[in-house]
Amino acid sequence: MPTPRLSVRLARKDDLVTIEALAKLATRDLLGPFLDPSQQIASMEFTALDPWLIEDQTYFVIKIGGLIRASGGWSFRDGLVHTKEPVAPTAQVRSTGTACLRAMYTDPAMARKGIGRMVVAIAETSARLAGYTSMELLATPVGKLLYQGCGYTVLQDIGLTACNGATFNLAYMAKDLQAPPTGQANDRDSRMSL
């Protein structure tokens, strides 16, 4: 059986419906087991895709066998929490060297195959080439494990309250993009097994 073709590209506006479906699937199946019912309902409030990520050309999709199986990117705009309404394009642009890792989604069928790490690495490289020297993010409990494996450090635990009153425990994490790697990834984790 041939290995499915893998490709990476910038996300386009016409990908939005597919990415939103991927976000719902990933939030339900990967994050969902860590949440109670009220948190599950509210979780889409802070995991929705900010359309400015696509407009700003800082958001990527990974296609495997012709299907979008993962997506993620970074933002030079303020705000660590995703919103359904886009941030005003003329406001809140960061002038510091810190970018935000944002909207990371992986198809649950592709979980633990190295694709999440691949998206993180692509976003970090893109931000570094744009002149940013560090990355920050808010991590869900399941995301925290991925980001720690990618070299991110927890700086603070944060509580987030959604519109329906559900509360979430998130980790504020950061990484110096100029620091040399601190070790080799486990060989099994660094391979992609399709």
Side-chain angles (χ1 to χ4, degrees):
M1 179 179 206
T3 301
R5 180 184 164 98
L6 184 147
S7 63
V8 179
R9 64 166 169 78
L10 283 169
R12 303 182 302 243
K13 287 181 184 178
D14 61 344
D15 295 322
L16 196 52
V17 171
T18 302
I19 295 169
E20 287 176 343
L22 177 64
K24 287 178 183 174
L25 187 65
T27 300
R28 184 194 72 199
D29 292 357
L30 299 178
L31 179 59
F34 291 86
L35 306 177
D36 66 35
S38 66
Q39 289 174 319
Q40 289 177 16
I41 292 167
S43 63
M44 288 308 298
E45 179 183 324
F46 69 86
T47 59
L49 178 66
D50 176 352
W52 279 110
L53 295 171
I54 294 175
E55 283 287 329
D56 292 338
Q57 297 190 330
T58 59
Y59 199 72
F60 302 88
V61 295
I62 291 182
K63 295 180 82 174
I64 299 173
L67 301 174
I68 293 177
R69 296 297 195 149
S71 65
W74 63 279
S75 180
F76 49 75
R77 300 179 189 279
D78 278 336
L80 289 167
V81 177
H82 317 288
T83 59
K84 290 185 179 180
E85 296 301 318
V87 176
T90 56
Q92 299 178 308
V93 174
R94 290 170 172 249
S95 58
T96 67
T98 303
C100 300
L101 191 65
R102 301 276 304 276
M104 301 284 297
Y105 311 119
T106 301
D107 183 332
M110 294 281 125
R112 305 199 60 79
K113 294 182 185 267
I115 299 170
R117 285 178 184 254
M118 186 183 299
V119 176
V120 171
I122 291 164
E124 288 174 351
T125 300
S126 176
R128 192 180 302 113
L129 289 171
Y132 289 85
T133 57
S134 61
M135 193 79 86
E136 65 180 3
L137 60 91
L138 279 181
T140 62
V142 69
K144 179 179 173 181
L145 302 174
L146 167 67
Y147 302 128
Q148 285 177 320
C150 293
Y152 286 78
T153 302
V154 175
L155 301 180
Q156 183 180 358
D157 290 319
I158 293 177
L160 179 81
T161 302
C163 290
N164 71 349
T167 58
F168 297 87
N169 295 318
L170 304 174
Y172 172 55
M173 305 179 77
K175 179 178 179 179
D176 180 354
L177 297 179
Q178 296 179 314
T182 57
Q184 296 296 323
N186 178 302
D187 184 54
R188 184 171 177 233
D189 291 338
S190 63
R191 289 193 311 255
M192 223 180 105
S193 56
L194 302 173

